[in-house]
Amino acid sequence: MASIRLKNITKRWGDFVAVDNQSLDIEDQEFLVLLGPSGCGKTTTMRMIAGLEEPTEGEVWIGDRMVNDELPKDRDVAMVFQNYGLYPHMSVFDNIAYPLKIRKSAPKARIPELVRKAADRVELLQFLERRPRELSGGQRQRVALARAIVREPQAFLMDEPLSNLDAKLRVTMRAELKHLSHELQITTVYVTHDQIEAMTLADRIGVMNDGRIRQLGTPDEIYNDPANIFVADFIGSPSMNLIQGAVDRNCFVTAGGQQLTETPASDLDRAVLGVRAEDIAVVRLGSTDVDARVYAAENTGENVVLTLQLGEQRITCKEDRYLKFSINERIGLRFDSSKTYLFEPDSGARIRQ
């Protein structure tokens, strides 16, 4: 087990910059998730840690070793991929045992014991004689996890390992990964574009875009205290409402002239108000100065998600699943000023109150 440190890492291919002068400290035994859209640099960052890509500039440290010049096999990290990477002609037992045999990292007599121990951790003992084609997607992913676990590496590197699974299996595998992380206490770097995976698994999340981490923090910090519009918009389902307007005499006013909420900010000709769907309350029409028209109402089972026409903009809010709303119905809204955020519209930076 070891900490991981990236010092001013840059990766270029010609004029394209995949990772841009990024530094990052990952603590020993920490579960860090790199989250972001396709092409943001998260997988390239992980591949540089693994040694599968060479940094154009900067240093990669694992523990007290700078590993820039070390081959992947010498870095003592184990990778779990999106596509499982299993050998179809080998049994589950042989797939799990393969790293021990190829690296000769354990006495031959101990390999069956180590394989069974790893298989037991992911509940695969009864499948050791099967081939990968005889397993479900979730079972194949557990084989890949067991193959990583059996080595007892200094760090796990996981590249979107659940993205090929259906929705129900992803929920099950998230719980298994969470439990394994707690049990094994091995430093883990996990790459995903799925914000639910990031929020449920991570000790800390690094939200990436355009080759840089735009915010690094705990799931609570990322969700409740976004540093900029990108993070605010990327995290949350539905994503945060971002309403164009201005601040006039300590009140946020939409482009259409509706006064939404008080704000301690000074007067601003242009600003963006951020508010999450669950923080907008539907109230009796006429009881507040804010009203909107119901554009769509979607019953998710857990709640009703309303898409509302607020002047020229559309916003979303969540309400009790037992309430009924009609298309084009006008409803009143109340915004809680303690649960809103202000952003600078050009840079996207947060305007702190």
Side-chain angles (χ1 to χ4, degrees), residues 55-84:
T56 307
E57 298 169 10
E59 299 174 358
V60 178
W61 290 73
I62 299 177
D64 57 0
R65 297 157 31 233
M66 190 178 79
V67 296
N68 287 47
D69 297 326
E70 291 189 9
L71 296 173
K73 67 183 181 66
D74 299 323
R75 298 193 183 195
D76 196 16
V77 297
M79 292 194 70
V80 181
F81 297 97
Q82 174 181 344
N83 62 357
Y84 317 136

Side-chain angles (χ1 to χ4, degrees), residues 81-301:
F81 297 97
Q82 174 181 344
N83 62 357
Y84 317 136
L86 304 180
Y87 296 103
H89 64 287
M90 291 184 182
S91 66
V92 169
F93 179 96
D94 290 332
N95 267 284
I96 297 173
Y98 186 77
L100 299 177
K101 293 177 179 178
I102 200 72
R103 293 170 60 89
K104 299 179 181 178
S105 55
K108 190 174 181 180
R110 284 204 67 212
I111 289 178
E113 172 197 345
L114 294 173
V115 169
R116 292 182 67 84
K117 181 180 177 183
D120 187 39
R121 278 178 162 159
V122 294
E123 301 179 6
L124 284 174
L125 277 177
Q126 67 270 41
F127 302 109
L128 288 177
E129 299 309 315
R130 294 193 185 182
R131 298 288 191 272
R133 66 177 177 273
E134 301 172 290
L135 303 176
S136 68
Q139 289 165 341
R140 292 179 197 177
Q141 194 55 273
R142 292 208 301 270
V143 176
L145 284 170
R147 186 177 57 190
I149 290 167
V150 77
R151 285 182 47 195
E152 298 182 355
Q154 290 195 83
F156 289 134
L157 305 178
M158 300 188 181
D159 187 8
E160 307 216 36
L162 308 186
S163 60
N164 281 348
L165 306 181
D166 63 39
K168 185 176 180 180
L169 268 177
R170 281 202 300 271
V171 173
T172 302
M173 286 301 299
R174 281 205 310 265
E176 292 187 14
L177 280 172
K178 189 81 172 178
H179 181 78
L180 273 173
S181 174
H182 175 77
E183 184 181 86
L184 298 174
Q185 295 292 298
I186 293 178
T187 309
T188 301
V189 180
Y190 187 103
V191 164
T192 184
H193 64 275
D194 187 317
Q195 57 175 294
I196 303 299
E197 287 180 23
M199 293 291 292
T200 54
L201 290 172
D203 295 323
R204 286 191 302 161
I205 300 171
V207 184
M208 292 193 71
N209 192 38
D210 294 333
R212 294 187 64 84
I213 292 177
R214 301 302 171 177
Q215 186 172 357
L216 179 66
T218 66
D220 280 347
E221 289 168 346
I222 295 293
Y223 190 84
N224 295 315
D225 192 22
N228 50 64
I229 282 180
F230 176 79
V231 174
D233 188 43
F234 196 80
I235 299 293
S237 181
S239 58
M240 182 181 286
N241 295 297
L242 298 169
I243 305 169
Q244 301 287 333
V247 177
D248 181 25
R249 287 173 290 190
N250 301 111
C251 186
F252 185 85
V253 183
T254 69
Q258 288 206 71
Q259 297 184 353
L260 299 190
T261 183
E262 293 181 352
T263 173
S266 303
D267 288 358
L268 297 167
D269 291 337
R270 295 171 61 236
V272 176
L273 182 78
V275 58
R276 296 207 178 274
E278 60 267 29
D279 294 328
I280 301 175
V282 174
V283 297
R284 181 174 53 84
L285 186 63
S287 63
T288 68
D289 294 331
V290 184
D291 64 271
R293 178 172 57 84
V294 176
Y295 183 82
E298 302 166 275
N299 190 336
T300 67

Side-chain angles (χ1 to χ4, degrees), residues 4 6 9 11 13 18-19 22 24 26 32-34 40-55 60 62 67 72 75 77-82 155-161 188-192 208 213:
I4 297 172
L6 306 181
I9 287 292
K11 180 62 180 179
W13 285 283
V19 178
Q22 182 61 60
L24 176 64
I26 304 167
L32 181 107
V33 174
L34 295 177
C40 70
K42 57 189 187 295
T43 294
T44 301
T45 299
M46 191 190 71
R47 288 173 63 84
M48 286 191 286
I49 296 172
L52 301 177
E53 297 288 355
E54 183 179 346
V60 178
I62 299 177
V67 296
R75 298 193 183 195
V77 297
M79 292 194 70
V80 181
F81 297 97
Q82 174 181 344
F156 289 134
L157 305 178
M158 300 188 181
D159 187 8
E160 307 216 36
T188 301
V189 180
Y190 187 103
V191 164
T192 184
M208 292 193 71
I213 292 177

